[in-house]
Amino acid sequence: MNILYIHTHDTGRYVSPYGHKMPTPNLQKFAEGGTLFRQAFTTAPTCSPSRAAMMTGRSAHQSGMLGLAHRGFALSDPARHLPAFLRRHGYDAFLCGIEHEFGSATGTLHQAYTEMISANFSGHFQWDQDNANNVAKFLLSRNKSDAPFFLSFGLFSTHREFVDADPAEFDPDYIMPPSPIPDTPGTRQDMANYAATVKITDDCVGKVLDALRASHCADDTIVVFSTDHGLPLPGMKCSLTDAGTGISLIMDWPGNPAKGKVMDAMVSHLDLFPTFCALAGIAPPDDLQGKSLLPLMNGETDTLHDEIFGEVTFHAAYEPKRSIRTNRYKLIKLFDDDSRRPVANCDNSPARRLLLEAGWQNRLRPRVRVYDLILDPNEQDNLAGRLEFSEVQDDLEIRLHDWMMRTEDPLLHGRVPRPQGSIVCTRDALDTDAPLEPADDPGDFSSALVEAADFHH
């Protein structure tokens, strides 16, 4: 079967199929006709690590992608990349638009992809639309006799900067920011701009899905829509709370046994690689960490995972932390003696400016946090250290440590050095006028300041 993988930047679950009043009718239609996963999670709420984990079927640190690809981090073994794997099994692999899991050390993307079909860059949002046209043309040009394909269509949207919303279409007075964000005129305007941006995303998705329906590929293609992590707002992107790790995941294919259904079981980006293998009839690699979604979708089980793990090591700045989530509890643990907040790991926004003015950066963070996700779904009441939750905390810490041991997490050996030549912000960095050259010492995090708002290409 062909595989069409559509993915966005920084969208989380903030689209209409997840109950938000957002202009995403094409995604809504796709969800209603396919399968929507309500409890889908990334393994790493930062851009390159999340994508690397999904594309290799292994945790971000096992894939080697401990930070951002454009800042000097790279996959340790590009041959493990999903398109490269599929090519070894008779697939053609195509890339249109954003990819963010390769680094300069891995060399050309052609190690994974047969061909790039991206349009010439003409500004991020026009580029998304031009690329949607290219994908549509590609789908309409394919014949049944062609080799099966894997096509990754990556949209820059909804990464910052958002487009400016037309107030006649998106009135900020009637838009509510996500629950972790204060409700102010500035944050409402920001979310109006997000709504205008996600509309562009949805239009692009709709154009591609319409072309697929009109093509010869329609009866033999798996379609997956997902995003890398939560919104580019404080407490979301780069956060191990559900607001950061919660993702959209919608999929469909001819013969889907869960068509029109909603799945409430916890699932992970890591589950996509083995699911593709199962649907394509290919034996998966032995060391994949996820599980095929098919038993869940076939009704053979109503639970796939007892636990989901999460991680951040580097984003713009070093912030080593790990998490374990069960259906009831979440544990987040910092692996750093400095409990200050690395503000550079939060994209610049009206919400961030508001929090900084209120002293957000001066609030020290506890080394361990435990949350009851039933009684405290917004993860605000830290139960760590309370006697009545000591057994819960001990159990979660043991399970987290066991996972780190199984996956050979480098944090078990102390501070993780950054790669030679990579660019990393200091703990105190906010924004600077221009990036500086990276430090020569791979263990020195003190001399490389970068533009914190310019996290991506």
Side-chain angles (χ1 to χ4, degrees):
M1 295 186 75
N2 307 309
I3 301 168
L4 174 58
Y5 171 48
I6 305 171
H7 48 103
T8 68
H9 257 311
D10 299 10
T11 311
R13 298 177 184 151
Y14 223 75
V15 291
S16 59
Y18 287 89
H20 299 288
K21 189 179 178 181
M22 285 290 142
T24 52
N26 292 300
L27 284 173
Q28 183 69 36
K29 180 180 178 181
F30 179 48
E32 291 174 358
T35 305
L36 176 75
F37 294 86
R38 298 287 305 196
Q39 298 297 322
F41 298 93
T42 181
T43 62
T46 66
C47 302
S48 299
S50 68
R51 295 164 186 267
M54 181 262 153
M55 283 290 197
T56 63
R58 308 197 318 157
S59 63
H61 62 264
Q62 278 202 306
S63 77
M65 189 60 74
L66 290 165
L68 298 174
H70 64 286
R71 292 180 180 268
F73 293 84
L75 291 174
S76 56
D77 185 358
R80 292 181 178 273
H81 197 257
L82 174 63
F85 170 81
L86 291 173
R87 287 181 69 184
R88 295 194 295 273
H89 289 82
Y91 274 70
D92 289 333
F94 300 88
L95 171 65
C96 186
I98 285 287
E99 68 79 31
H100 205 196
E101 67 272 3
F102 272 87
S104 57
T106 64
T108 174
L109 286 172
H110 283 284
Q111 292 178 83
Y113 293 99
T114 309
E115 185 179 348
M116 314 298 151
I117 59 173
S118 299
N120 292 327
F121 186 78
S122 54
H124 291 129
F125 304 110
Q126 184 60 50
W127 193 50
D128 284 348
Q129 295 169 77
D130 291 344
N131 283 333
N133 289 332
N134 279 13
V135 172
K137 291 176 184 177
F138 170 88
L139 293 171
L140 292 169
S141 72
R142 298 293 288 186
N143 296 310
K144 285 185 176 295
S145 59
D146 294 332
F149 67 80
F150 173 89
L151 171 57
S152 172
F153 174 36
L155 291 110
F156 181 85
S157 309
T158 54
H159 193 282
R160 292 188 181 274
E161 290 294 324
F162 302 149
V163 298
D164 293 330
D166 179 353
E169 186 175 9
F170 303 103
D171 188 336
D173 286 342
Y174 300 99
I175 287 183
M176 174 62 74
S179 56
I181 306 303
D183 181 9
T184 69
T187 60
R188 291 196 297 272
Q189 181 62 61
D190 195 40
M191 289 311 297
N193 294 346
Y194 170 85
T197 304
V198 82
K199 182 178 186 297
I200 295 173
T201 304
D202 187 75
D203 290 345
C204 292
V205 172
K207 182 173 294 185
V208 167
L209 294 181
D210 285 346
L212 177 63
R213 295 183 192 105
S215 74
H216 296 301
C217 310
D219 61 354
D220 197 30
T221 299
I222 306 159
V223 184
V224 173
F225 171 82
S226 192
T227 189
D228 48 5
H229 47 65
L231 272 64
L233 291 167
M236 301 186 80
K237 178 178 178 178
C238 210
S239 171
L240 290 174
T241 59
D242 283 5
T245 60
I247 55 168
S248 298
L249 180 59
I250 311 168
M251 64 187 302
D252 195 21
W253 69 89
N256 174 9
K259 188 177 287 291
K261 294 183 179 179
V262 169
M263 299 283 144
D264 283 303
M266 290 194 303
V267 300
S268 164
H269 262 162
L270 296 177
D271 299 326
L272 289 176
F273 198 137
T275 302
F276 293 151
C277 289
L279 287 170
I282 299 172
D286 293 336
D287 58 356
L288 295 184
Q289 294 175 15
K291 300 178 181 180
S292 170
L293 296 168
L294 294 190
L296 190 66
M297 302 176 78
N298 287 331
E300 298 170 27
T301 182
D302 57 6
T303 301
L304 206 62
H305 299 285
D306 295 326
E307 56 202 14
I308 297 282
F309 298 97
E311 64 179 288
V312 174
T313 306
F314 295 92
H315 191 60
Y318 183 61
E319 189 179 3
K321 54 188 178 182
R322 301 291 186 261
S323 67
I324 176 173
R325 186 200 197 279
T326 67
N327 281 311
R328 179 69 188 264
Y329 294 104
K330 163 86 66 68
L331 180 141
I332 302 172
K333 187 171 184 177
L334 301 179
F335 288 80
D336 196 357
D337 292 334
D338 192 337
S339 59
R340 293 176 298 161
R341 188 183 307 277
V343 178
N345 284 348
C346 177
D347 292 33
N348 195 8
S349 66
R352 192 187 82 153
R353 293 192 290 273
L354 178 66
L355 295 185
L356 290 177
E357 290 170 2
W360 181 56
Q361 71 278 22
N362 298 321
R363 295 281 182 93
L364 298 182
R365 299 173 298 166
R367 185 177 178 83
V368 178
R369 287 174 281 164
V370 175
Y371 299 116
D372 184 330
L373 300 174
I374 300 299
L375 299 179
D376 179 28
N378 289 325
E379 300 172 67
Q380 298 295 311
D381 182 18
N382 184 12
L383 307 177
R386 299 188 190 178
L387 182 61
E388 62 270 36
F389 293 100
S390 60
E391 289 186 10
V392 170
Q393 181 174 340
D394 289 346
D395 175 61
L396 294 175
E397 292 220 46
I398 289 170
R399 291 160 72 176
L400 178 62
H401 182 266
D402 288 347
W403 170 76
M404 294 175 70
M405 291 286 289
R406 290 196 307 272
T407 58
E408 300 178 322
D409 194 323
L411 276 181
L412 292 171
H413 308 293
R415 187 181 182 92
V416 179
R418 62 184 178 85
Q420 183 72 32
S422 60
I423 300 175
V424 176
C425 287
T426 64
R427 174 75 61 165
D428 298 320
L430 293 176
D431 303 307
T432 58
D433 293 333
L436 301 180
E437 290 297 320
D440 291 329
D441 179 358
D444 177 11
F445 298 88
S446 64
S447 61
L449 289 175
V450 295
E451 173 63 52
D454 182 24
F455 287 168
H456 296 277
H457 308 280

